[in-house]
Amino acid sequence: MRIHIVSPTFKGGTELQEGWYKTEYNRKRFAAEMVKEWSDPSSDGGGVVDAKELHLPKPNEFIATNFDLVMEKKE
């Protein structure tokens, strides 16, 4: 699992530096308990959103699905 958190509040609190652009960053492992909690959608997880409430949005009816070419009728 890879998570990126970007914030100016980390400035000066990093341990590593990227070679090309000199971007500072940290690399840390998550505790096994955290990964297990995040990986089990049936658990409460202590999060703000209940995993049972997560779902995909309804299909967008305005996105075209038929891309056949139509010849213009000449009058």
Side-chain angles (χ1 to χ4, degrees), residues 39-59:
S39 300
D40 183 9
S42 65
S43 73
D44 176 13
V48 177
V49 177
D50 184 7
K52 296 170 192 146
E53 295 178 18
L54 297 176
H55 58 84
L56 293 174
K58 293 179 183 177

Side-chain angles (χ1 to χ4, degrees), residues 10-45:
F10 297 130
K11 187 158 181 81
T14 57
E15 300 168 358
L16 302 170
Q17 188 178 63
E18 187 271 334
W20 289 90
Y21 297 103
K22 308 300 183 216
T23 304
E24 298 174 349
Y25 67 98
N26 279 338
R27 182 179 293 165
K28 296 182 181 182
R29 292 201 179 272
F30 290 104
E33 300 85 37
M34 291 289 277
V35 175
K36 182 180 179 198
E37 193 172 303
W38 293 337
S39 300
D40 183 9
S42 65
S43 73
D44 176 13

